[in-house]
Amino acid sequence: MKKTLAWCLLIISTAFLLSSKPARVNDKVQLTSEELKLYNLVTAYRTANGLPAIPLSTSLTFVAQLHVKDLAENRPDTGNCVMHSWSNKGKWQSCCYTADHAQKLCMWNKPAELTSYTGKGFEIAAQYSEGMDAKKALELWKASQYHNAAILNAGPYKTKWNAMGIGIYDNYAVIWFGHEADKDGEPVRPAKR
């Protein structure tokens, strides 16, 4: 009886530890549970609208995670600079992305600047003062005409996304989309939960 109980506890604690670990993207990039949840929510939303899932990209996820940390810790999105801005406190080219999109190349070229991804990157970003989670991020983007269009390949985004990266940190969430498939190995398949 004691041996059976010990085995049951071992199985339960092992299952808990495995379920609380982040999903692996590769040796350097991992998804948190909220990032994986956001990927799954976006995929379900697209599927409900007759669209296919977008492969998760190692490179675009790396850029997304780097950018949300920069936004939260260095706040380059102040004054006239919007959330597509990057600070001067990292190993990247800084820029103040303004509402007139004059610095759009700063966004488009960021994946190629920081990774082996050769295509342009297109970002949607959200901020929520009470802390960001997957559900809140998608809710904010669905309520915005242009962000929703980017997710659903509608309006000015009538295109096919072949790569997607996710980042959530503190009060920020971003998704990076790309036309080109990520050539940095196999497309990532998030761990099932």
Side-chain angles (χ1 to χ4, degrees), residues 45 137-145 147-148 151:
Y45 181 52
L138 185 57
E139 188 179 286
L140 290 168
W141 288 323
K142 285 167 76 173
S144 164
Q145 177 185 356
H147 294 106
N148 192 54
I151 293 170

Side-chain angles (χ1 to χ4, degrees), residues 167-186:
I168 299 176
Y169 184 77
D170 198 26
N171 297 338
Y172 293 91
V174 301
I175 295 179
W176 282 77
F177 297 105
H179 294 118
E180 289 77 16
D182 191 345
K183 303 282 191 242
D184 190 16
E186 292 294 311

